[in-house]
Amino acid sequence: MNSNPWSSEDAKVLAGLPVAGGTAQETSFQKLQKRAFGGEDVAARPGAEDDEWWPKGPLLPGVQELTRDFVTGIESPESLHLVFLLGGAGNGKSFAARSLGKELGLAASASDALAHRIYKATRNGVRIELLNDATIAPSADYQSRQPVALACDIQRWWGESAVSPVAAFCCVNRGIVIDELRSLSEQGHDIEVFARAILAWLASPESDAAGQLGTSLEEAKLVLGEHYHELRFNLGGRSVRISAMSVDARSLLDIDGDQSRAGMLFQQIVGRCRDDALARPADCPIRANVQQWLPPNTILGWENILAHAEIASGRLHSYRDVWGLAALSILGPRFAVTDGSQSLLDHVDRCLHKARNGSSPKDRLDALLELSQFRMHNALFRSPIPSGGDALPFYPPTTPAHLGLSLVDPSAWGSMDSHAVEVAMQSVALGGMPSESLIGSGLLDNAWFGFDKYLEQAIVEYVGSDDCSDRVRRRLVSWFGGYLTRLVGVSTGRLGNLAVVTQWKLCREACVNGVGKLPLEFEKAIRSLVFPQHDDVPPDRILVPAFAARVEPLQASRDGASPRLAEIIPHNSINLQVRQQGSRLVLECTLTGHAEVIGQLVLDFSLVREALACRGRRAGQTESTAHVEPRIERCRASSLSAVPAIQRRLVVISGGSPVELN
Amino acid sequence: MAFAFPDLKRPQYPSSPEVLLSALAWSVVPRAPGHNETGLIYQRKESRAKRGVTIEQTMPRGQGLEAFRASLQSNGWTAVTGGDLPKVVAEAAVDAMLGVKPPKGVGYASSAIGLAGALLQDPIGGLATKNPPNFANLLNTMHALGGSAEGQTAASRWFDVARYYSATRELKALEDALAGTTLKNFLREGVWPPNSPQVAKASVPEPAPSWWQASVVSAGVGTPFSWFHSSWNRLCSPEWYTILPPRRWAGWAVCVLRNAIGFTFLWEANFFLELARGIADHERDPTTVARWALSPTRPLVPYQRGGIAQMDVMPSIRRLLTQGLACRKAIIEAAGELSDEPNDLASLVEALRTANPKSIKTALGGGGDKGGLPNLIETVRYSLLARSALDTPDHHALLKVVSRNYTHVAPAPEWIVVMSAMAATGPSDAVRLGDVQRSLEDIGFKPRIDFLLGELERAGLCASASDGDEGIEINLGFGRK
């Protein structure tokens, strides 16, 4: 192992600590840490620009066109032009608003560190306002109408537009719209129909805002895709244009050209960290992380992990999540300081020092195990770290993203390469290095670095020594098998539950134009779930208890001893189709020859898994069955109730074949 | 004239919740003269009823089963293989009509589907008592207190739905067979099949006080009454009943009725307790007192995580009902003695502060008249509690007995589905977490958003949403778009 090539002063510089006689410059790692667990502020302030270091993620398609349209609209203004960017926190709404503010010359006062709800200006006789609804409405301005602050602002703009043109650009969380509508329905708050209709339209664009306002709609000026809606009308002699765009309607992992928006951002972040990382010792896990992500093709692998996690959790990552995941992929998880260190790098350096100069193989190994939590694959999949004398698992802190990542962990759920890793691990018994065969077969391409090598050496050395008890040996070997499986998974892109994610992607491709048919084999599996077969009934029919509280199919004549009244219902006229609704897929049931949807089922990761567990028209079992079954039952009940009565037959099951009734 | 409060009949809870639907049914379908005293229950158990109460089983058995079989056959049920309809078919049909099996009570109710299905039991049979509460009047009054009735009552709305199901191909023959055999003696001659509701006088709802109309109904204040009114109207609308199978509709209807009754009496207790506190504390603003009385600030059923004993809801329910009942009696009595009738609740608070009756302080101090308390506590508890056997599980309960001595909030699988569905205007309308939360707040159940989300996820109702909190979309799974 290398001797320590770093002086304590060098370490302080890298860790960003003050050095005697000078002020340390902020390192890229320290910068990145600032956004590891969320944004720096609740809302970006106009005029408070980031410094040059910070890379910028591309805006959602359409946002730039929308802001440009807002600016050009000032030249030939409508009486009232309102633009709403809708979406959850951390999706770049206020970032877009800040760019717009810069373009309009709006700036917060330099001495004012707080983000305000509204920034105002006047251009070309138009009163312009930038509104960020994430910022609490000041009670002094809104008083008792604080719970309906946005409605209040819309009402005010409508009133002011009678005097001079008003243009407002608003960043709004959809949850706030729902909250305000709720407050409005509970108490009047003197909010008139105009603001109410606009809020209702923001919550559900299908709502008839024009009808409520007693006007008719004109053609939209902009067409920017499904995530954009526009209302244009003339009311009381005033021209009104309302635009609304959902900034979180599409995944940041959707490939746009060669890369996704998240990938583009991550590549820039890796580039910013490059020099600092390469200046680190060869056995540093953070250096290994950055080295791993430096080749451009590995960014695709990173995008692949995040995309799979999104599908598994059913939750789209926001830019805020992406920043957190970027930090996790480079710096590792949050950690508890127990050694008096003052920063991440200080802690890493202390561990490295111990790993090199520890008094025993166990001490050296413990230091490397502690460092292993910072290695990207362990951090992303939240791998437990063996700790203490018994090598008991210690779990690093979790993040919301782990909900999805844990479902695609190749070590927990098995991958196509698990067997190869298992075979490679056999060599540990003979004192060999498992990585050798994996590197030879190309399974660790671009994934094996100095830190991994030192860790492997230390583990093989320690488990081969007499100091290591059998129990600890088993735990360490098992853990290192998981370590390699995850590393191989990241390298090859073959993650856990790959078949489920692939199937879900196939379904999404099938409905890329809105609605589509399910892949043939998968449709059979879904049918087995929704309409399970009975032993004594033709395969295109389902047998359900008559007048039962729930439509839980009978599957064998032996179900119950007493005579049972049941219904045989044909389901061959019920067709399945899949529809894309924003970021999610919905399975829809229709009757042949009818467009009406008679049953719905959200097609998510759990349902796909459940369907893939079906074997030959028999429903399988997964650990999610208890969660998935109720919604399958509701869809079944709703769909079957639409089958015409003339096609249904009552039967009695009594210890054998059904007795059919006329 | 004395200040009028919402006039709710004192309750007593039937062991089989389906009896609530049956009470509505018998309030709009006339009974044969001379049979009003006999109680009906679908399946009689061994246990004895109170002295002087006659209860008849309506489940066809023995010779009755043979008559029922013959009637089914004459109404069109035949085996495909030909010949007489096998007896086993009648047996299976009779079993299919059985509802949830409670562990206590004199018998089991039917599942109350359709018209005849709901007439298979009545409150006398369900409670095994000579003078059961008039549930139809109670439910109609609660419905009327919740909003504009437009000439409709809870019972008449139920009638429209039951008549729809009764005419469906799958139920018609069964209904006619029941009406022609086991129910024949109890239905007034010529009444079957009923074409319109014939409202019994005793079930006509009590009129809402004028202050209630102005301060609660017109002001849109959320109460268990407004929740019941909108939920019942929604459930009894064609949008819902045409897509729900009859048994599921009946299950949902019973769920709505149980929650309405349970939370109404909790709300009433809280209402009088808050009023009493406001009357006793002269420093509080009377308008705030009135507002807090109408809209509880704390959950009426606490839903919290913790140790098994900490999660027990019965101590707080019992305490609230005990205090509320004593305060109710004290306030009604004191209000009756006022010389001038106050215009609204705030004026009542002021007037009673001036009158300063001792009885209110006594009630707040734990004294006063608590007659009817055991029935009240039982009504609330059993309305919300799961009671079922393994073969007929209760899917619609909110509470569950844990480890014999503790009662926890543990929504059964269909409870959250019904609550979410009732928060949507129709099966195909968008409903969000905020809508469900608001709807539950109306009845006085105020779960933490993460608890609610957990229940929704467990029931597979939550469609993922990119923006969280109240904006999370609920997918009910019922189509018709």
Side-chain angles (χ1 to χ4, degrees), chain A residues 137-157:
Chain A
S139 57
D141 297 344
Y142 293 84
Q143 290 164 357
S144 66
R145 300 206 289 184
Q146 234 178 347
V148 290
L150 183 60
C152 237
D153 287 317
I154 296 172
Q155 181 157 299
R156 177 173 56 81
W157 292 327

PDB file of all heavy atoms in Angstrom, chain A residues 137-157:
ATOM      1  N   ALA A 137     -46.884  34.162   1.382  1.00  0.00           N
ATOM      2  CA  ALA A 137     -47.454  35.497   1.163  1.00  0.00           C
ATOM      3  C   ALA A 137     -47.401  36.291   2.465  1.00  0.00           C
ATOM      4  O   ALA A 137     -47.839  35.785   3.501  1.00  0.00           O
ATOM      5  CB  ALA A 137     -48.895  35.349   0.700  1.00  0.00           C
ATOM      6  N   PRO A 138     -46.847  37.512   2.433  1.00  0.00           N
ATOM      7  CA  PRO A 138     -46.742  38.279   3.690  1.00  0.00           C
ATOM      8  C   PRO A 138     -48.130  38.600   4.257  1.00  0.00           C
ATOM      9  O   PRO A 138     -49.009  39.032   3.511  1.00  0.00           O
ATOM     10  CB  PRO A 138     -46.036  39.569   3.266  1.00  0.00           C
ATOM     11  CG  PRO A 138     -45.578  39.361   1.874  1.00  0.00           C
ATOM     12  CD  PRO A 138     -46.353  38.234   1.280  1.00  0.00           C
ATOM     13  N   SER A 139     -48.294  38.349   5.534  1.00  0.00           N
ATOM     14  CA  SER A 139     -49.621  38.566   6.135  1.00  0.00           C
ATOM     15  C   SER A 139     -49.991  40.041   6.096  1.00  0.00           C
ATOM     16  O   SER A 139     -51.169  40.393   6.029  1.00  0.00           O
ATOM     17  CB  SER A 139     -49.647  38.040   7.561  1.00  0.00           C
ATOM     18  OG  SER A 139     -48.642  38.675   8.302  1.00  0.00           O
ATOM     19  N   ALA A 140     -48.976  40.930   6.086  1.00  0.00           N
ATOM     20  CA  ALA A 140     -49.270  42.360   6.043  1.00  0.00           C
ATOM     21  C   ALA A 140     -49.980  42.723   4.735  1.00  0.00           C
ATOM     22  O   ALA A 140     -50.847  43.594   4.694  1.00  0.00           O
ATOM     23  CB  ALA A 140     -47.975  43.158   6.167  1.00  0.00           C
ATOM     24  N   ASP A 141     -49.621  42.041   3.647  1.00  0.00           N
ATOM     25  CA  ASP A 141     -50.220  42.346   2.349  1.00  0.00           C
ATOM     26  C   ASP A 141     -51.547  41.632   2.132  1.00  0.00           C
ATOM     27  O   ASP A 141     -52.446  42.160   1.483  1.00  0.00           O
ATOM     28  CB  ASP A 141     -49.267  41.945   1.210  1.00  0.00           C
ATOM     29  CG  ASP A 141     -47.971  42.742   1.248  1.00  0.00           C
ATOM     30  OD1 ASP A 141     -47.956  43.782   1.937  1.00  0.00           O
ATOM     31  OD2 ASP A 141     -46.984  42.315   0.626  1.00  0.00           O
ATOM     32  N   TYR A 142     -51.629  40.414   2.641  1.00  0.00           N
ATOM     33  CA  TYR A 142     -52.800  39.588   2.298  1.00  0.00           C
ATOM     34  C   TYR A 142     -53.798  39.442   3.458  1.00  0.00           C
ATOM     35  O   TYR A 142     -54.933  39.069   3.246  1.00  0.00           O
ATOM     36  CB  TYR A 142     -52.350  38.198   1.836  1.00  0.00           C
ATOM     37  CG  TYR A 142     -51.603  38.234   0.529  1.00  0.00           C
ATOM     38  CD1 TYR A 142     -50.238  38.504   0.500  1.00  0.00           C
ATOM     39  CD2 TYR A 142     -52.260  38.032  -0.677  1.00  0.00           C
ATOM     40  CE1 TYR A 142     -49.537  38.566  -0.697  1.00  0.00           C
ATOM     41  CE2 TYR A 142     -51.571  38.087  -1.882  1.00  0.00           C
ATOM     42  CZ  TYR A 142     -50.198  38.352  -1.885  1.00  0.00           C
ATOM     43  OH  TYR A 142     -49.524  38.412  -3.074  1.00  0.00           O
ATOM     44  N   GLN A 143     -53.322  39.672   4.666  1.00  0.00           N
ATOM     45  CA  GLN A 143     -54.150  39.568   5.878  1.00  0.00           C
ATOM     46  C   GLN A 143     -54.920  38.252   5.916  1.00  0.00           C
ATOM     47  O   GLN A 143     -54.322  37.205   5.748  1.00  0.00           O
ATOM     48  CB  GLN A 143     -55.053  40.783   5.988  1.00  0.00           C
ATOM     49  CG  GLN A 143     -54.200  42.011   6.307  1.00  0.00           C
ATOM     50  CD  GLN A 143     -54.869  43.319   6.071  1.00  0.00           C
ATOM     51  OE1 GLN A 143     -55.982  43.388   5.611  1.00  0.00           O
ATOM     52  NE2 GLN A 143     -54.162  44.384   6.404  1.00  0.00           N
ATOM     53  N   SER A 144     -56.240  38.305   6.074  1.00  0.00           N
ATOM     54  CA  SER A 144     -56.989  37.052   6.245  1.00  0.00           C
ATOM     55  C   SER A 144     -57.053  36.250   4.950  1.00  0.00           C
ATOM     56  O   SER A 144     -57.528  35.120   4.935  1.00  0.00           O
ATOM     57  CB  SER A 144     -58.406  37.359   6.729  1.00  0.00           C
ATOM     58  OG  SER A 144     -59.091  38.052   5.714  1.00  0.00           O
ATOM     59  N   ARG A 145     -56.588  36.862   3.848  1.00  0.00           N
ATOM     60  CA  ARG A 145     -56.685  36.156   2.574  1.00  0.00           C
ATOM     61  C   ARG A 145     -55.384  35.414   2.234  1.00  0.00           C
ATOM     62  O   ARG A 145     -55.193  34.982   1.097  1.00  0.00           O
ATOM     63  CB  ARG A 145     -57.076  37.118   1.469  1.00  0.00           C
ATOM     64  CG  ARG A 145     -58.432  37.757   1.780  1.00  0.00           C
ATOM     65  CD  ARG A 145     -59.172  38.199   0.571  1.00  0.00           C
ATOM     66  NE  ARG A 145     -58.570  39.368  -0.070  1.00  0.00           N
ATOM     67  CZ  ARG A 145     -59.105  39.976  -1.118  1.00  0.00           C
ATOM     68  NH1 ARG A 145     -60.233  39.534  -1.621  1.00  0.00           N
ATOM     69  NH2 ARG A 145     -58.525  41.011  -1.650  1.00  0.00           N
ATOM     70  N   GLN A 146     -54.536  35.228   3.245  1.00  0.00           N
ATOM     71  CA  GLN A 146     -53.284  34.486   3.044  1.00  0.00           C
ATOM     72  C   GLN A 146     -53.510  33.094   2.447  1.00  0.00           C
ATOM     73  O   GLN A 146     -52.764  32.686   1.556  1.00  0.00           O
ATOM     74  CB  GLN A 146     -52.570  34.339   4.383  1.00  0.00           C
ATOM     75  CG  GLN A 146     -51.146  34.847   4.331  1.00  0.00           C
ATOM     76  CD  GLN A 146     -50.477  34.745   5.682  1.00  0.00           C
ATOM     77  OE1 GLN A 146     -51.111  34.524   6.704  1.00  0.00           O
ATOM     78  NE2 GLN A 146     -49.178  34.926   5.695  1.00  0.00           N
ATOM     79  N   PRO A 147     -54.550  32.342   2.916  1.00  0.00           N
ATOM     80  CA  PRO A 147     -54.736  30.989   2.358  1.00  0.00           C
ATOM     81  C   PRO A 147     -55.142  30.976   0.889  1.00  0.00           C
ATOM     82  O   PRO A 147     -55.110  29.942   0.251  1.00  0.00           O
ATOM     83  CB  PRO A 147     -55.868  30.394   3.218  1.00  0.00           C
ATOM     84  CG  PRO A 147     -55.988  31.265   4.408  1.00  0.00           C
ATOM     85  CD  PRO A 147     -55.498  32.617   4.012  1.00  0.00           C
ATOM     86  N   VAL A 148     -55.552  32.147   0.375  1.00  0.00           N
ATOM     87  CA  VAL A 148     -55.939  32.192  -1.043  1.00  0.00           C
ATOM     88  C   VAL A 148     -55.129  33.294  -1.734  1.00  0.00           C
ATOM     89  O   VAL A 148     -55.648  34.050  -2.559  1.00  0.00           O
ATOM     90  CB  VAL A 148     -57.462  32.421  -1.219  1.00  0.00           C
ATOM     91  CG1 VAL A 148     -58.245  31.198  -0.799  1.00  0.00           C
ATOM     92  CG2 VAL A 148     -57.939  33.629  -0.419  1.00  0.00           C
ATOM     93  N   ALA A 149     -53.834  33.336  -1.400  1.00  0.00           N
ATOM     94  CA  ALA A 149     -52.996  34.426  -1.892  1.00  0.00           C
ATOM     95  C   ALA A 149     -52.924  34.462  -3.415  1.00  0.00           C
ATOM     96  O   ALA A 149     -52.990  35.535  -4.026  1.00  0.00           O
ATOM     97  CB  ALA A 149     -51.595  34.298  -1.297  1.00  0.00           C
ATOM     98  N   LEU A 150     -52.815  33.292  -4.033  1.00  0.00           N
ATOM     99  CA  LEU A 150     -52.692  33.274  -5.489  1.00  0.00           C
ATOM    100  C   LEU A 150     -53.997  33.770  -6.139  1.00  0.00           C
ATOM    101  O   LEU A 150     -53.964  34.568  -7.084  1.00  0.00           O
ATOM    102  CB  LEU A 150     -52.359  31.850  -5.967  1.00  0.00           C
ATOM    103  CG  LEU A 150     -52.140  31.689  -7.471  1.00  0.00           C
ATOM    104  CD1 LEU A 150     -50.993  32.558  -7.966  1.00  0.00           C
ATOM    105  CD2 LEU A 150     -51.874  30.231  -7.829  1.00  0.00           C
ATOM    106  N   ALA A 151     -55.120  33.304  -5.609  1.00  0.00           N
ATOM    107  CA  ALA A 151     -56.413  33.763  -6.134  1.00  0.00           C
ATOM    108  C   ALA A 151     -56.528  35.278  -5.980  1.00  0.00           C
ATOM    109  O   ALA A 151     -57.023  35.991  -6.866  1.00  0.00           O
ATOM    110  CB  ALA A 151     -57.548  33.063  -5.395  1.00  0.00           C
ATOM    111  N   CYS A 152     -56.028  35.756  -4.870  1.00  0.00           N
ATOM    112  CA  CYS A 152     -56.041  37.198  -4.587  1.00  0.00           C
ATOM    113  C   CYS A 152     -55.243  37.960  -5.643  1.00  0.00           C
ATOM    114  O   CYS A 152     -55.679  39.012  -6.140  1.00  0.00           O
ATOM    115  CB  CYS A 152     -55.326  37.384  -3.254  1.00  0.00           C
ATOM    116  SG  CYS A 152     -56.266  38.186  -2.059  1.00  0.00           S
ATOM    117  N   ASP A 153     -54.050  37.419  -5.967  1.00  0.00           N
ATOM    118  CA  ASP A 153     -53.198  38.072  -6.961  1.00  0.00           C
ATOM    119  C   ASP A 153     -53.862  38.061  -8.335  1.00  0.00           C
ATOM    120  O   ASP A 153     -53.829  39.065  -9.054  1.00  0.00           O
ATOM    121  CB  ASP A 153     -51.833  37.382  -7.022  1.00  0.00           C
ATOM    122  CG  ASP A 153     -50.991  37.698  -5.792  1.00  0.00           C
ATOM    123  OD1 ASP A 153     -50.969  38.869  -5.381  1.00  0.00           O
ATOM    124  OD2 ASP A 153     -50.391  36.770  -5.226  1.00  0.00           O
ATOM    125  N   ILE A 154     -54.471  36.906  -8.675  1.00  0.00           N
ATOM    126  CA  ILE A 154     -55.130  36.823  -9.994  1.00  0.00           C
ATOM    127  C   ILE A 154     -56.262  37.854 -10.064  1.00  0.00           C
ATOM    128  O   ILE A 154     -56.426  38.556 -11.068  1.00  0.00           O
ATOM    129  CB  ILE A 154     -55.668  35.389 -10.240  1.00  0.00           C
ATOM    130  CG1 ILE A 154     -54.502  34.398 -10.306  1.00  0.00           C
ATOM    131  CG2 ILE A 154     -56.487  35.315 -11.524  1.00  0.00           C
ATOM    132  CD1 ILE A 154     -54.900  32.938 -10.363  1.00  0.00           C
ATOM    133  N   GLN A 155     -56.998  37.944  -8.959  1.00  0.00           N
ATOM    134  CA  GLN A 155     -58.106  38.912  -8.922  1.00  0.00           C
ATOM    135  C   GLN A 155     -57.584  40.345  -9.052  1.00  0.00           C
ATOM    136  O   GLN A 155     -58.159  41.171  -9.749  1.00  0.00           O
ATOM    137  CB  GLN A 155     -58.864  38.750  -7.609  1.00  0.00           C
ATOM    138  CG  GLN A 155     -60.034  39.696  -7.485  1.00  0.00           C
ATOM    139  CD  GLN A 155     -61.067  39.159  -6.507  1.00  0.00           C
ATOM    140  OE1 GLN A 155     -61.617  38.090  -6.720  1.00  0.00           O
ATOM    141  NE2 GLN A 155     -61.311  39.891  -5.438  1.00  0.00           N
ATOM    142  N   ARG A 156     -56.451  40.624  -8.383  1.00  0.00           N
ATOM    143  CA  ARG A 156     -55.863  41.968  -8.440  1.00  0.00           C
ATOM    144  C   ARG A 156     -55.406  42.283  -9.871  1.00  0.00           C
ATOM    145  O   ARG A 156     -55.670  43.355 -10.402  1.00  0.00           O
ATOM    146  CB  ARG A 156     -54.679  42.042  -7.460  1.00  0.00           C
ATOM    147  CG  ARG A 156     -53.932  43.368  -7.465  1.00  0.00           C
ATOM    148  CD  ARG A 156     -52.897  43.416  -6.347  1.00  0.00           C
ATOM    149  NE  ARG A 156     -51.937  42.325  -6.380  1.00  0.00           N
ATOM    150  CZ  ARG A 156     -50.869  42.303  -7.182  1.00  0.00           C
ATOM    151  NH1 ARG A 156     -50.634  43.316  -8.012  1.00  0.00           N
ATOM    152  NH2 ARG A 156     -50.036  41.276  -7.141  1.00  0.00           N
ATOM    153  N   TRP A 157     -54.743  41.303 -10.510  1.00  0.00           N
ATOM    154  CA  TRP A 157     -54.259  41.539 -11.879  1.00  0.00           C
ATOM    155  C   TRP A 157     -55.426  41.808 -12.823  1.00  0.00           C
ATOM    156  O   TRP A 157     -55.342  42.653 -13.694  1.00  0.00           O
ATOM    157  CB  TRP A 157     -53.450  40.321 -12.372  1.00  0.00           C
ATOM    158  CG  TRP A 157     -52.155  40.122 -11.642  1.00  0.00           C
ATOM    159  CD1 TRP A 157     -51.345  41.086 -11.134  1.00  0.00           C
ATOM    160  CD2 TRP A 157     -51.543  38.873 -11.324  1.00  0.00           C
ATOM    161  NE1 TRP A 157     -50.254  40.521 -10.521  1.00  0.00           N
ATOM    162  CE2 TRP A 157     -50.340  39.160 -10.629  1.00  0.00           C
ATOM    163  CE3 TRP A 157     -51.855  37.546 -11.548  1.00  0.00           C
ATOM    164  CZ2 TRP A 157     -49.478  38.170 -10.159  1.00  0.00           C
ATOM    165  CZ3 TRP A 157     -50.996  36.557 -11.091  1.00  0.00           C
ATOM    166  CH2 TRP A 157     -49.826  36.871 -10.396  1.00  0.00           C
TER     167      TRP A 157
END
